Amino acid sequence: KAGVTQTPRYLIKTRGQQVTLSCSPISGHRSVSWYQQTPGQGLQFLFEYFSETQRNKGNFPGRFSGRQFSNSRSEMNVSTLELGDSALYLCASSPVGRDGLDTQYFGPGTRLTVL
Amino acid sequence: AQSVTQLGSHVSVSEGALVLLRCNYSSSVPPYLFWYVQYPNQGLQLLLKYTSAATLVKGINGFEAEFKKSETSFHLTKPSAHMSDAAEYFCAVSAGEAAGNKLTFGGGTRVLVKP
């Protein structure tokens, strides 16, 4: 099976712009989670989608949003970019994820740089 | 709420020596615990997970971890380090069904392996 794919791998934006990142989960996986990784804050949970519904949300401002499509592919959007949004954004998928026991399989990430 | 503390942001070991990475957690419910490894410019890869079946958990690449409830610890060990073990390692906790797939990560420990 193909792994989790994320596009694009690298992105450069300027402050105030918006950005959309894409994640294709492993075939058959229905849960997609997003994480932000920065040197200062480490790995932080953004949100999780399951069957096109947001099931869980981390402590991020409303500028961060996401959605999931019927084929389980997911996108996350960041509006009004700030310098502090520069980070590696990781997507993870799991089969069901209902009980927290599922192994989450991570993609290679999208490196976002905000200038 | 869950939290994870990894003692030591950097660890240096000689090739062939014991690798010991420390992880302490805080959880209001019986936790599920995970160790992930991240190689440069890659996503996270699961090494092993604790799901209450056995306190000593064996993972990939010769790693194992022991769950000690009394010490709220889940330290990762490998008897003999290889050069290929140089990477960053993350301990994570999930609160199980209540949290769905939300993982709370420790700050990470970067391992340097000296020849």
Side-chain angles (χ1 to χ4, degrees), chain A residues 36-114:
Chain A
Q36 182 196 63
Q37 185 176 23
T38 61
Q41 300 298 317
L43 278 155
Q44 293 185 286
F45 173 80
L46 280 156
F47 29 65
E48 180 202 1
Y49 286 87
F50 178 80
S51 291
E52 302 178 64
T53 301
Q54 187 180 87
R55 183 161 68 176
N56 234 324
K57 190 176 188 305
N59 195 23
F60 279 80
R63 300 185 297 106
F64 292 81
S65 62
R67 59 178 175 168
Q68 186 180 34
F69 302 94
S70 58
N71 62 358
S72 293
R73 190 177 70 84
S74 177
E75 289 180 346
M76 68 163 282
N77 185 275
V78 188
S79 63
T80 319
L81 284 167
E82 301 176 359
L83 294 179
D85 297 333
S86 294
L88 181 67
Y89 290 88
L90 293 164
C91 166
S93 75
S94 65
V96 176
R98 189 175 301 119
D99 57 6
L101 289 174
D102 270 358
T103 294
Q104 292 191 54
Y105 296 85
F106 283 79
T110 294
R111 171 82 57 189
L112 172 64
T113 301
V114 182

Side-chain angles (χ1 to χ4, degrees), chain A residues 9-10 31 33 35 37 43 45 48 55-56 88 90 94 96-104 106-108 111, chain B residues 32 34 36 38 41-46 49-51 88 90 94 96-103 105-107:
Chain A
R9 289 293 311 277
Y10 301 91
S31 168
S33 299
Y35 293 84
Q37 185 176 23
L43 278 155
F45 173 80
E48 180 202 1
R55 183 161 68 176
N56 234 324
L88 181 67
L90 293 164
S94 65
V96 176
R98 189 175 301 119
D99 57 6
L101 289 174
D102 270 358
T103 294
Q104 292 191 54
F106 283 79
R111 171 82 57 189
Chain B
Y32 301 133
F34 305 78
Y36 282 87
Q38 186 177 33
N41 298 317
Q42 295 187 27
L44 303 176
Q45 180 184 7
L46 180 73
K49 65 181 179 182
Y50 167 75
T51 59
E88 190 158 19
F90 293 92
S94 164
E97 188 168 355
N101 257 348
K102 177 182 178 180
L103 289 174
F105 285 90

Side-chain angles (χ1 to χ4, degrees), chain B residues 76-95:
Chain B
L76 181 72
T77 60
K78 180 174 180 177
S80 176
H82 294 163
M83 297 299 291
S84 60
D85 294 327
E88 190 158 19
Y89 293 79
F90 293 92
C91 181
V93 63
S94 164

